[in-house]
Amino acid sequence: MTTVNTTARLAALRSLMKENGVDVYVVPSEDSHASEYIADCDARRAFISGFTGSAGTAVVTHDKAALATDGRYFNQAAKQLDNNWHLLKTGMPEVPTWQDWAAEEATGGKTLDETVKKSGGAGLKAVSENLVDSVWGHDKPARPNNSIMLLPEKRSGKDTASKLVDLRKELEKKKAAGFVLSMLDEIAWLFNLRGSDITYNPVFFSYALVTPDSATLYVDDSKLTDECRSYLDKNKVSVKPYDTLFSDAKELASAAANATEAPKYLVSNKGSWALKLALGGDKFVDEIRSPVCDAKAVKNDTELEGMRQCHIRDGAALIEFFAWLEDQLINKKAVMDEVEAADKLEEFRGKQKDFVGLSFDTISSTGPNAAVIHYKPEKGVCATIDPAAIYLCDSGAQYLDGTTDTTRTLHFGTPSDAEKKAYTLVLKGNIALDTAVFPKGTTGYAIDCLARQFLWKQGLDYRHGTGHGVGSFLNVHEGPMGIGTRKQYADVPLGAGNVLSIEPGFYEDGAYGIRIENLAIVREVKTEHMFGDKPFLGFEHVTMVPYCRNLIDTSLLTAEEKEWLNRSNEEVRRNMEGRFEGPELEVAKKWLERETQPF
């Protein structure tokens, strides 16, 4: 990780701020579609600050600059930010949020977002020109314009016409004029299309408008194959150019203004302010949690089976990789850096059926780098893997039938007692959440503590959520539900058909990091009773990779936890049967046999 000198960039931005009468300028991580992962052309916060993590907000005044990010990125941000920037460690005691920091800087009638207007700011100022883009100039990458593919019903499990019927029922309930979609994964899911405009995310730049009697996809028509056009036509979806959405929105707003008691249009609460203004503002628009987001999060039977099957293949690739890596480091005494290991893992995944690509940058980290929660190794500056230190690998892939995200922490030598204890406490938390049974209506906020309880008893914890939703051959992070302490996770209950990660961890800064992550399906479970006639839910993990025996302190495990491990290992062996035959796979076969021996 390198530090970028941002002095000239900030000076240029401040000059433009003065020209436009802006005193405080906020630069979010997301693009205009609120995407977490973005195309290079939308990496404005990274450009202006030098911080490349996926989450964070930059705030620039005429004489100060601050970058707020969460606990996953404290170490990374500290290394990447230069002396022009003040790091706001979100969630830490005595540390203001970026909103509060900006509000303090906006006192005295300066211009800032309406959310801090009460602190003395003069209100939100619309600037049609993106000032960071102007600073970036000709060096700014071009917007991707990659082709789009159709995801057939044998993969999606439901056609677009049926999804539109369901969405229109929501419009009818809310007596709405229509719903404008701006989230790229929601559009891809609704129309059963996939793209590659954003690295690791099979989405494409687009908007959509659905009314009670029409559906319009705003996308560059040249990206659509004949198969896509035929499918959209069959499902009564018209296509218009991507950049005409805002002019159409203004026409809708004008028509509504001239009508008496016109119904409102709905937009996602993650939609841009520009979109809301184009539709006429608060008078003509209601912000809601997207019904498409909610529907997408409940996987149908086809999608769930796809998740199970792709995790078996992905597990085979990870097992082959971990066996190969240990053999290279221990038996062959090979010298290998973190990037070389990550590239080899991608090679193993590439051999699997229906592999499309990775689902995020592989976190291949040795020793102290494993303590950087969202570490990204870079060729030339990354570390050589130390076989006598902990190795953490957090990785995932996109397959035509699903999306994977798996973390395993390994030690190829002799771990310390502290490392074994920490690993086992994390493992116990993973098991506790995996085996939890809870009534329908329970939120991820309510059960987050189950994964942390064993660490808490030792006065330990971790600075990230315990679980996030995962798409079906879509974004590796999806809402609206999750497991953690975010307010949103207290508002949205878990439901049957959700797919989430379970990933507790522990990080000793400057020494090592531990994380164990599985993906799991939320499903109804049979219980002896059904209190209040309410169904009970539990988890079915789909990740098929064994845990590191070398790091497990069995004296800390209960008999029930050991039995859970034995059942899990038996399930892995059963699903891997016949996948490691032949002399070239003998190393992987023996590694799997060793790692899945009964406790």
Side-chain angles (χ1 to χ4, degrees):
M1 285 181 239
T2 56
T3 302
V4 176
N5 185 338
T6 62
T7 301
R9 298 174 184 181
L10 286 171
L13 176 60
R14 285 168 175 147
S15 177
L16 291 171
M17 288 166 60
K18 288 178 181 177
E19 289 179 19
N20 286 272
V22 174
D23 297 295
V24 182
Y25 198 72
V26 180
V27 186
S29 299
E30 299 82 5
D31 61 14
S32 56
H33 298 271
S35 307
E36 177 190 9
Y37 290 90
I38 54 178
D40 291 343
C41 61
D42 291 315
R44 298 178 179 91
R45 191 224 57 226
F47 169 77
I48 201 65
S49 71
F51 168 64
T52 60
S54 68
T57 302
V59 184
V60 180
T61 73
H62 290 300
D63 56 2
K64 296 179 184 177
L67 186 286
T69 190
D70 60 51
R72 296 172 296 169
Y73 295 108
F74 289 169
N75 288 345
Q76 179 179 338
K79 292 178 181 179
Q80 290 186 316
L81 295 176
D82 69 5
N83 292 333
N84 289 302
W85 291 85
H86 173 61
L87 175 60
L88 299 175
K89 296 183 176 181
T90 303
M92 296 297 287
E94 310 288 319
V95 176
T97 64
W98 71 260
Q99 293 94 331
D100 289 338
W101 187 89
E104 180 66 26
E105 295 301 314
T107 55
K110 296 178 182 178
T111 300
L112 189 67
D113 190 300
E114 60 192 357
T115 60
V116 291
K117 187 176 179 181
K118 63 184 180 182
S119 298
L124 185 68
K125 180 179 176 65
V127 182
S128 58
E129 173 191 14
N130 190 295
L131 303 187
V132 174
D133 285 356
S134 298
V135 174
W136 211 341
H138 296 300
D139 293 331
K140 184 176 183 285
R143 182 177 293 280
N145 197 39
N146 301 324
S147 62
I148 297 170
M149 62 170 282
L150 175 67
L151 190 69
E153 196 171 333
K154 70 175 185 178
R155 305 284 191 191
S156 67
K158 192 172 186 177
D159 66 8
T160 291
S162 300
K163 294 178 181 181
L164 287 171
V165 168
D166 293 340
L167 177 54
R168 286 174 175 134
K169 288 178 182 177
E170 294 299 317
L171 297 181
E172 186 177 357
K173 286 180 188 176
K174 297 183 182 300
K175 295 181 171 53
F179 181 54
V180 181
L181 290 85
S182 58
M183 297 290 288
L184 301 183
D185 62 332
E186 294 180 15
I187 296 168
W189 177 86
L190 181 63
F191 297 107
N192 288 333
L193 302 173
R194 298 294 187 269
S196 58
D197 282 347
I198 295 180
T199 305
Y200 308 128
N201 296 260
V203 298
F204 49 94
F205 286 108
S206 55
Y207 289 98
L209 169 63
V210 177
T211 72
D213 52 15
S214 69
T216 305
L217 174 63
Y218 291 85
V219 68
D220 185 341
D221 181 71
S222 67
K223 302 168 73 164
L224 297 170
T225 63
D226 289 341
E227 185 181 29
C228 293
R229 292 189 189 92
S230 175
Y231 180 79
L232 292 171
D233 185 62
K234 175 184 175 184
N235 286 269
K236 296 180 171 55
V237 178
S238 61
V239 176
K240 298 188 73 173
Y242 172 75
D243 56 9
T244 63
L245 179 277
F246 282 88
S247 59
D248 281 5
K250 290 174 182 177
E251 288 183 12
L252 294 173
S254 177
N258 293 323
T260 54
E261 298 185 11
K264 289 187 175 184
Y265 282 90
L266 305 177
V267 297
S268 166
N269 52 17
K270 292 187 177 181
S272 68
W273 186 51
L275 177 59
K276 188 174 179 180
L277 286 181
L279 287 164
D282 291 337
K283 185 177 180 180
F284 302 107
V285 180
D286 277 337
E287 288 187 13
I288 61 169
R289 193 175 80 218
S290 170
V292 178
C293 179
D294 288 354
K296 173 170 58 65
V298 180
K299 310 294 187 286
N300 58 49
D301 290 342
T302 300
E303 292 171 318
L304 292 176
E305 185 57 27
M307 292 297 274
R308 295 184 184 100
Q309 294 303 317
C310 75
H311 274 85
I312 293 172
R313 302 194 302 276
D314 200 61
L318 282 163
I319 290 166
E320 187 176 0
F321 167 67
F322 291 141
W324 173 86
L325 183 60
E326 180 181 297
D327 183 55
Q328 291 290 312
L329 296 174
I330 302 302
N331 299 325
K332 295 186 169 66
K333 308 299 180 185
V335 177
M336 185 185 319
D337 67 33
E338 295 162 326
V339 169
E340 289 171 329
D343 289 345
K344 190 66 178 181
L345 173 54
E346 184 173 2
E347 180 184 317
F348 286 130
R349 279 194 165 110
K351 298 189 298 182
Q352 299 300 319
K353 178 185 175 185
D354 293 333
F355 173 79
V356 177
L358 302 184
S359 56
F360 57 95
D361 279 314
T362 296
I363 300 173
S364 169
S365 52
T366 183
N369 289 340
V372 181
I373 297 171
H374 271 206
Y375 173 74
K376 177 185 175 182
E378 297 176 3
K379 195 64 179 176
V381 294
C382 66
T384 298
I385 296 176
D386 181 358
I390 272 181
Y391 176 72
L392 186 153
C393 181
D394 184 346
S395 66
Q398 297 286 4
Y399 297 90
L400 292 176
D401 51 353
T403 302
T404 70
D405 182 1
T406 302
T407 307
R408 288 294 182 265
T409 306
L410 301 96
H411 201 301
F412 304 114
T414 304
S416 68
D417 290 343
E419 289 171 333
K420 291 183 69 172
K421 182 175 182 179
Y423 182 93
T424 308
L425 294 175
V426 171
L427 176 61
K428 287 168 70 73
N430 192 293
I431 295 171
L433 199 48
D434 182 277
T435 56
V437 175
F438 45 91
K440 182 179 179 181
T442 300
T443 66
Y445 185 94
I447 62 175
D448 175 72
C449 61
L450 297 179
R452 300 178 191 265
Q453 60 179 311
F454 304 103
L455 289 166
W456 282 357
K457 287 177 182 178
Q458 303 295 319
L460 304 174
D461 205 351
Y462 50 93
R463 293 191 183 104
H464 59 74
T466 299
H468 56 82
V470 179
S472 177
F473 184 29
L474 267 176
N475 296 0
V476 73
H477 293 162
E478 77 167 15
M481 69 292 154
I483 304 171
T485 56
R486 293 184 187 180
K487 181 182 182 301
Q488 178 182 341
Y489 296 162
D491 297 335
V492 184
L494 304 183
N498 292 160
V499 177
L500 300 104
S501 67
I502 298 176
E503 50 179 309
F506 174 71
Y507 310 89
E508 187 66 50
D509 285 351
Y512 63 87
I514 293 164
R515 186 161 63 253
I516 302 172
E517 177 185 19
N518 296 330
L519 294 196
I521 296 168
V522 180
R523 58 182 178 83
E524 285 195 21
V525 297
K526 291 183 179 180
T527 53
E528 183 179 354
H529 305 285
M530 192 179 290
F531 184 80
D533 293 326
K534 187 180 292 187
F536 280 71
L537 305 174
F539 292 106
E540 171 199 341
H541 63 255
V542 294
T543 304
M544 292 294 144
V545 184
Y547 307 92
C548 183
R549 296 181 70 89
N550 195 27
L551 279 166
I552 297 175
D553 182 349
T554 56
S555 69
L556 298 177
L557 297 177
T558 65
E560 290 80 9
E561 289 165 339
K562 291 177 184 177
E563 181 56 33
W564 182 92
L565 279 170
N566 288 338
R567 289 197 307 270
S568 176
N569 284 337
E570 172 58 33
E571 186 179 19
V572 172
R573 283 198 304 272
R574 185 173 64 252
N575 280 296
M576 295 302 147
E577 192 170 337
R579 291 182 178 271
F580 300 115
E581 302 300 329
E584 71 279 4
L585 294 172
E586 187 66 22
V587 170
K589 185 176 183 178
K590 288 183 177 179
W591 186 91
L592 176 62
E593 290 173 350
R594 185 193 73 199
E595 292 298 304
T596 57
Q597 287 297 307
F599 286 91

